[in-house]
Amino acid sequence: MLLRHTPTEIKERKALTVNPAKTCQPIGAMYASLGIHGCLPHSHGSQGCYAYHRSALTRHFKEPVVAATSAFTEGASVFGGQANLLQSIDNIFTVYNPDVIAVHTTCLSETIGDDIPQIVAKARADGKAPAGKYIIHANTPSYVGSHVTGYSNMVKAMVDYFATSTGAKTKAVNLIPGFVEPSDMAEIQRIAEVMGVPYIMFPDTSKVLNGPLTGKYKMFPEGGTTIEDLHMTGDSKGTIALGRTGAMAAARALDSKCKVPCEILDLPIGLQGTDAFVDKLRLMAGVNVPDVLNLERGQLVDCISDWHQYLYGKRVGVVGDPDQVLALTKFLVSLDMKPVHIVSGSPAGKKYVKALEEVVADIGEEVNIKVPGDMLLFHQWIKNDPVDLIIGNTYCKYIAKDEDIPMVRHGFPIYDRMGHSYFSTMGYRGAMRLMEQILGVLMDRQDRDATDITMELVM
Amino acid sequence: MPSIPILKSREAQIHTKGEKPFDMTCGKHSVAGSVSQRACVFCGSRVVLYPIADALHLIHGPIGCAAYTWDIRGALSSGPQLHRLSFSTDLRERDVIFGGEKKLEAALDELIDQYKPKAAFVYSTCIVGIIGDDVAAVCSKMQAKKGIPVLPVHSEGFKGTKKDGYKAACDALFKLVGKGSTEDVSPISINILGEFNIGGEAWLIKEYYERMGVQVVSVMTGDGRVDEIGKSHGAALNVVQCSGALTFLAEMMKEEYDTPYIRVSYIGIDDMAKSLYDVAARFPDNPEIMERTRKIVREEVEAILPELNGIRKDLEGKKAAIYVGGAFKAFSLIKALNYLGMKVVLVGSQTGNKEDYKTLQEMCDDGTIILDDANPLELSKYIIEKDADLFIGGVKERPIAFKMGIGFCDHNHERKIPLAGFRGMLAFAREVHTSVTSPVWQFCPARLGNKEE
Ligand code: SF4
Ligand code: SF4
């Protein structure tokens, strides 16, 4: 009864977040930066934040996560962080020699108002940034938005700094994923590959945060979008952004900067989500959908029909990042399940909430939605009106245990299970995996609760 | 192994024993642009106060600082679990511009009514230091209104190192000391300081002292309770564990209440036994305490020895690298590893001072690398150079060790088992053994490479 302190009575809380369902911008920026090949993320602020961001990512991915810090002292906090950043840039290129430094700010450097581009220009003028090396930046104050905002800001910075148009269009399609797992990025690429669509994906954390054991520690692993590719995004035929809160800003920026038209889709979670993605890709690239994808799709439909009886009517509590929650909720509704409590910690705007409301409008039950909300509220809702299943990050396990409800881990962070960085939940195959996880916990529960009389061998 | 460039300004923080005269630079702020493994003042305060389970821990600042410290420490409580929740004022842009005092006050008001804690700690993070909220004033107002101690913890991250966070935590704790009645405190009594009950370690240690016949008034702060801290000034002795997160408090209590203190370590057989004997020796008028202590040590050691010796056979001659927070812990680890027949080839810390490093180099063999505030590149370079079989560190170090194909043991927040005490020594030995002799290494390129040589 770890959450024994959760009261059932729900009061409006204005001044207070209890058990947050989000975290701060810089960690999102750090994650996005790791998706550029040869990039060292740099946190401009005191070293505590950055230590936490690195630890949190390390815990989630079980992979080395490196980044540097300006290591603010009291002096820097009063007089500004220019001297620190200049020294950082010098030290980083001398010691670690990355291709790119991706600077993000923290609450502290934002509040004192450091002007990063100006400091970087000074570093260039002082000869502290060698030719052929890049320094990009994103503003990521955490008192605005959340980790998703930070991710979005850094991905947009990639466009602002790197995208160029030579005037000659290529056949490539830009793919911009939201804040998703390395496995998801790999799955999105696989789909583009089997369709024969030339693409540039950015950022790309696959093989960076799910790399092999090689016997060596590599500060800059194999994966990541190359600078050359980032430059070329401006010449692509079009852009598909997956997720409004995580990927839209970059796609829009690319459109206005280089006239690359963009389409904004939901994350390709579930049958319809994947259909939408595949269809957009087909149209944009002018290709046919290959048999292998049709096969996967058919298999997914088959699975749904086989197992629908066990999913139908099940009530679900969903908590997570906005893009994930929206796409996931659509999938659940399409499986005939009833998402009745929905919380996203990150602010996402009125339009978002409306979109979510539309998805659940016809499930035949009152639905609680709070964006932004926290895990305390989520727990209170579940206490007052229990569900059959919880889907959310690792922190949900306290609720799941206390209320004795089956749970599927999804989103960020996941500190206590493996798989998320290797097995995608996107695309048709990913949808099958999600279903497998959901069915697994529901049926384990059924078996656990079965009496000798109701125990079934075949399900 | 190609050599890596070492920053000029870091050269004085890395030494190879026996190469040149030893003079370690340390206690410095990390160099800008370094990939330091260190954290901040807030982190220091939070880890110290975290295990006080019947207190409210409210983090005044933007959401991140609270989110990252939500139940990451694994400090167990036998009763209330309030410390494992995450409370934050979640400052937004408006608050940063107009100030967050009102929000803080409202939050405290709500939380104290709701959870009825014994005390409340309010941590101010970086941003609060910059916008200049008068946290102390809000706290004293709420203290008067609610009738419980409401204590500001001045832990703005940029105001120093993790060590300064320990100090801020001790300042806050000190305000709780002396608040309770010492009526039921025996003259043969101690406080245990700096034991955070990770994996239930405080319970192990407390049990030893109680079996000796010594009353443990308070464990600060493992499985901590506000009332126990309140009467801790009645204890005859403060026993301060390891690197001394709580040394500041021991000093303050010595000054104010005349409570003497000793420093001990609960890691490894020798140090554990010594920390019991040292306490027993403090009560010479009661020789039966020393007798009981001898008996306890004998029994406990006998109980673990057969298995330890078995493990030792497999580990004899293997090499270890240590990179931990406190240097004091490193001393004990070196001894514990030596006991297992292992050789320490690298040792470093995040917070060691000159004295500490002197001791370290005296304990080590020639050729051992000793370093302060290292980065992953340095660590990996020396681990490969020295051909270590085991790396002992914290969260961020684990995947680095595994990428290099060597064993790992967490001696920080991530572990789930007690590594202190006699039974802890056995648990430590088992964990090291499990990791170093894991069958996975036979499939690993580093090990394959070594075999081919
Ligand atoms: S903001 Fe300051 S207090 Fe919070 S984690 Fe960062 S350095 Fe530490
Ligand atoms: S200060 Fe801001 S950036 Fe740093 S950890 Fe806290 S919320 Fe995140």
Side-chain angles (χ1 to χ4, degrees):
Chain A
M1 280 294 281
L2 198 62
L3 298 180
R4 70 185 70 157
H5 306 281
T6 302
T8 39
E9 191 199 340
I10 299 172
K11 285 195 216 142
E12 179 77 17
R13 281 173 289 125
K14 281 223 177 71
L16 192 60
T17 296
V18 183
N19 298 345
K22 65 170 174 185
T23 181
C24 64
Q25 283 210 47
I27 197 171
M30 192 181 277
Y31 177 56
S33 310
L34 292 167
I36 303 175
H37 180 71
C39 175
L40 185 66
H42 182 87
S43 165
H44 185 51
S46 21
Q47 65 191 38
C49 311
Y50 125 108
Y52 281 130
H53 305 152
R54 284 180 61 205
S55 298
L57 291 176
T58 304
R59 288 188 168 106
H60 177 82
F61 293 109
K62 311 282 181 236
E63 288 285 306
V65 172
V66 279
T69 169
S70 302
F72 271 31
T73 53
E74 201 147 8
S77 317
V78 178
F79 303 113
Q82 167 157 323
N84 286 55
L85 188 51
L86 289 176
Q87 198 197 346
S88 283
I89 292 170
D90 197 15
N91 284 343
I92 288 171
F93 283 127
T94 314
V95 181
Y96 307 111
N97 197 27
D99 299 331
V100 191
I101 302 175
V103 181
H104 58 262
T105 53
T106 64
C107 297
L108 184 55
S109 55
E110 276 296 319
T111 313
I112 58 181
D114 279 347
D115 181 349
I116 309 294
Q118 177 257 315
I119 301 174
V120 170
K122 182 153 174 29
R124 287 241 175 257
D126 294 355
K128 288 187 168 143
K133 300 283 180 177
Y134 300 90
I135 304 169
I136 68 174
H137 98 286
N139 290 93
T140 50
S142 293
Y143 40 80
V144 183
S146 75
H147 57 290
V148 184
T149 326
Y151 178 89
S152 164
N153 287 341
M154 186 51 87
V155 181
K156 179 176 174 290
M158 293 172 198
V159 171
D160 294 343
Y161 278 93
F162 292 120
T164 41
S165 61
T166 60
K169 286 281 172 200
T170 67
K171 287 205 165 79
V173 171
N174 299 322
L175 298 173
I176 311 180
F179 194 133
V180 299
E181 292 286 335
S183 53
D184 299 328
M185 298 190 185
E187 176 64 13
I188 292 164
Q189 295 179 72
R190 187 188 69 89
I191 292 176
E193 270 155 31
V194 299
M195 290 177 70
V197 178
Y199 66 89
I200 299 172
M201 171 181 276
F202 71 96
D204 177 8
T205 59
S206 61
K207 302 204 237 0
V208 179
L209 288 165
N210 57 6
L213 192 160
T214 56
K216 285 189 200 74
Y217 167 68
K218 282 190 103 175
M219 197 151 173
F220 306 109
E222 299 301 329
T225 317
T226 60
I227 303 298
E228 201 187 2
D229 274 353
L230 284 171
H231 283 311
M232 287 183 20
T233 54
D235 287 339
S236 294
K237 198 170 186 179
T239 302
I240 299 179
L242 300 167
R244 271 168 188 75
T245 53
M248 183 170 75
R252 290 262 167 92
L254 197 51
D255 189 355
S256 51
K257 186 177 180 188
C258 303
K259 304 283 165 302
V260 182
C262 65
E263 298 280 355
I264 320 292
L265 303 180
D266 289 338
L267 292 178
I269 294 178
L271 183 68
Q272 291 146 302
T274 308
D275 277 351
F277 172 58
V278 169
D279 199 43
K280 231 1 136 226
L281 209 50
R282 176 184 70 85
L283 289 172
M284 203 176 263
V287 295
N288 290 322
V289 177
D291 288 346
V292 334
L293 273 191
N294 283 325
L295 173 68
E296 286 172 18
R297 185 180 191 280
Q299 286 170 328
L300 172 60
V301 179
D302 189 58
C303 285
I304 297 175
S305 72
D306 286 346
W307 298 98
H308 164 260
Q309 52 174 326
Y310 290 95
L311 301 170
Y312 138 90
K314 289 279 188 285
R315 308 173 79 251
V316 195
V318 183
V319 59
D321 296 342
D323 294 336
Q324 300 274 8
V325 163
L326 181 62
L328 198 56
T329 306
K330 275 192 190 163
F331 183 39
L332 295 175
V333 171
S334 80
L335 293 174
D336 229 353
M337 301 178 82
K338 296 174 186 289
V340 288
H341 308 308
I342 306 173
V343 166
S344 178
S346 305
K350 284 210 183 75
K351 263 202 200 145
Y352 173 81
V353 176
K354 219 162 154 250
L356 206 48
E357 280 165 357
E358 271 162 26
V359 175
V360 292
D362 295 327
I363 68 165
E365 280 207 52
E366 283 279 319
V367 177
N368 289 314
I369 296 178
K370 186 89 198 286
V371 183
D374 60 23
M375 299 287 248
L376 176 71
L377 179 69
F378 186 63
H379 188 198
Q380 288 180 308
W381 278 344
I382 289 174
K383 254 187 182 322
N384 286 313
D385 184 14
V387 289
D388 302 301
L389 172 72
I390 294 172
I391 305 184
N393 68 28
T394 286
Y395 288 106
C396 290
K397 80 172 177 183
Y398 299 137
I399 303 174
K401 182 170 163 65
D402 283 357
E403 307 301 332
D404 195 17
I405 295 171
M407 162 183 177
V408 167
R409 282 160 183 77
H410 194 265
F412 178 83
I414 296 174
Y415 291 156
D416 61 340
R417 290 293 188 276
M418 73 164 285
H420 47 93
S421 44
Y422 299 99
F423 310 116
S424 172
T425 52
M426 297 189 176
Y428 301 120
R429 283 188 181 176
M432 275 194 255
R433 172 160 187 261
L434 248 179
M435 265 185 68
E436 179 213 347
Q437 289 182 309
I438 292 172
L439 281 161
V441 297
L442 290 177
M443 294 186 152
D444 281 347
R445 176 55 174 267
Q446 189 173 325
D447 283 341
R448 192 194 84 183
D449 292 348
T451 62
D452 288 356
I453 297 165
T454 57
M455 186 72 176
E456 290 182 79
L457 176 70
V458 182
M459 290 170 102
Chain B
M1 171 83 203
S3 76
I4 51 155
I6 304 284
L7 276 183
K8 267 254 154 300
S9 48
R10 277 200 43 74
E11 274 171 5
Q13 283 168 279
I14 304 170
H15 286 271
T16 306
K17 171 151 186 210
E19 274 191 359
K20 358 175 226 219
F22 189 81
D23 179 27
M24 178 69 90
T25 303
C26 53
K28 290 207 311 187
H29 212 87
S30 293
V31 180
S34 63
V35 179
S36 156
Q37 311 288 81
R38 293 204 287 208
C40 67
V41 182
F42 167 66
C43 174
S45 305
R46 189 74 175 108
V47 296
V48 168
L49 298 174
Y50 177 84
I52 304 177
D54 56 355
L56 181 80
H57 300 267
L58 172 61
I59 296 163
H60 186 35
I63 198 70
C65 316
Y68 301 119
T69 49
W70 178 9
D71 206 26
I72 53 165
R73 186 122 214 241
L76 307 182
S77 161
S78 52
Q81 304 289 346
L82 198 54
H83 66 305
R84 300 180 70 177
L85 304 184
S86 172
F87 301 108
S88 165
T89 47
D90 192 0
L91 292 185
R92 313 305 300 168
E93 199 158 22
R94 259 187 65 89
D95 310 312
V96 172
I97 298 165
F98 298 109
E101 288 175 26
K102 284 236 163 59
K103 204 172 186 185
L104 174 60
E105 197 178 318
L108 280 169
D109 209 10
E110 242 176 277
L111 284 171
I112 294 171
D113 287 352
Q114 176 72 56
Y115 296 102
K116 314 228 164 2
K118 292 278 186 177
F121 294 102
V122 180
Y123 303 78
S124 22
T125 62
C126 283
I127 207 85
V128 173
I130 293 291
I131 62 177
D133 279 359
D134 191 346
V135 175
V138 177
C139 286
S140 59
K141 186 171 165 195
M142 292 316 288
Q143 173 160 330
K145 186 167 164 194
K146 302 286 175 189
I148 60 160
V150 180
L151 305 166
V153 186
H154 298 289
S155 51
E156 292 87 347
F158 60 85
K159 287 198 170 153
T161 63
K162 197 168 167 184
K163 239 186 204 169
D164 300 282
Y166 298 156
K167 175 129 201 333
C170 288
D171 285 338
L173 273 178
F174 189 60
K175 295 197 183 108
L176 292 175
V177 174
K179 290 287 178 292
S181 150
T182 56
E183 239 169 50
D184 55 354
V185 175
S186 140
I188 302 170
S189 60
I190 58 169
N191 298 309
I192 299 173
L193 270 63
E195 171 45 66
F196 305 113
N197 204 32
I198 295 174
E201 289 181 335
W203 298 328
L204 273 179
I205 306 294
K206 198 171 159 184
E207 189 205 298
Y208 297 143
Y209 287 121
E210 283 173 352
R211 275 162 66 195
M212 285 159 57
V214 176
Q215 183 192 11
V216 177
V217 183
S218 163
V219 182
M220 285 191 263
T221 52
D223 195 8
R225 299 291 183 274
V226 173
D227 286 345
E228 287 171 5
I229 299 167
K231 58 185 179 187
S232 62
H233 59 299
L237 177 69
N238 276 337
V239 182
V240 186
Q241 137 110 328
C242 270
S243 80
L246 286 228
T247 311
F248 301 107
L249 182 68
E251 289 280 354
M252 286 188 267
M253 286 178 70
K254 190 171 161 203
E255 181 93 344
E256 178 86 19
Y257 300 103
D258 238 358
T259 318
Y261 74 87
I262 55 171
R263 286 177 79 178
V264 300
S265 162
Y266 301 128
I267 308 292
I269 292 181
D270 299 346
D271 286 356
M272 183 61 236
K274 185 167 186 309
S275 59
L276 299 185
Y277 288 136
D278 285 356
V279 168
R282 287 287 173 147
F283 303 102
D285 300 342
N286 305 72
E288 72 282 3
I289 295 183
M290 187 56 94
E291 257 162 54
R292 280 197 289 260
T293 310
R294 287 209 184 92
K295 188 158 169 285
I296 292 169
V297 172
R298 201 178 325 117
E299 282 173 9
E300 292 286 332
V301 174
E302 270 169 14
I304 60 171
L305 222 46
E307 195 180 332
L308 271 188
N309 289 338
I311 288 175
R312 192 189 156 105
K313 281 200 196 95
D314 288 342
L315 295 178
E316 194 82 59
K318 301 259 188 222
K319 289 173 253 166
I322 304 173
Y323 186 70
V324 286
F328 221 81
K329 182 150 75 188
F331 305 156
S332 299
L333 282 173
I334 294 175
K335 287 187 236 169
L337 287 166
N338 288 343
Y339 194 91
L340 294 176
M342 295 180 73
K343 201 170 129 62
V344 173
V345 292
L346 174 151
V347 57
S349 94
Q350 299 177 34
T351 55
N353 61 29
K354 280 221 178 242
E355 286 295 85
D356 296 335
Y357 283 113
K358 230 181 121 228
T359 315
L360 271 184
Q361 75 111 24
E362 279 159 14
M363 293 178 76
C364 293
D365 297 335
D366 275 357
T368 303
I369 309 272
I370 303 173
L371 77 190
D372 179 59
D373 185 22
N375 66 43
L377 224 49
E378 289 167 9
L379 290 172
S380 73
K381 168 189 146 89
Y382 295 121
I383 282 172
I384 290 184
E385 252 177 41
K386 294 284 166 188
D387 194 23
D389 302 283
L390 172 77
F391 190 4
I392 300 185
V395 196
K396 296 192 284 284
E397 284 80 42
R398 181 195 300 266
I400 295 177
F402 290 162
K403 278 282 180 282
M404 293 189 293
I406 66 169
F408 182 81
C409 169
D410 192 301
H411 221 288
N412 209 345
H413 306 182
E414 212 81 326
R415 64 203 158 87
K416 306 296 171 228
I417 48 165
L419 300 181
F422 299 104
R423 270 170 283 164
M425 174 64 190
L426 183 56
F428 171 71
R430 282 180 186 152
E431 182 156 326
V432 168
H433 183 260
T434 310
S435 196
V436 169
T437 64
S438 165
V440 73
W441 306 133
Q442 67 185 307
F443 309 115
C444 157
R447 300 286 131 169
L448 291 175
N450 285 347
K451 259 192 221 143
E452 279 157 17
E453 273 168 20

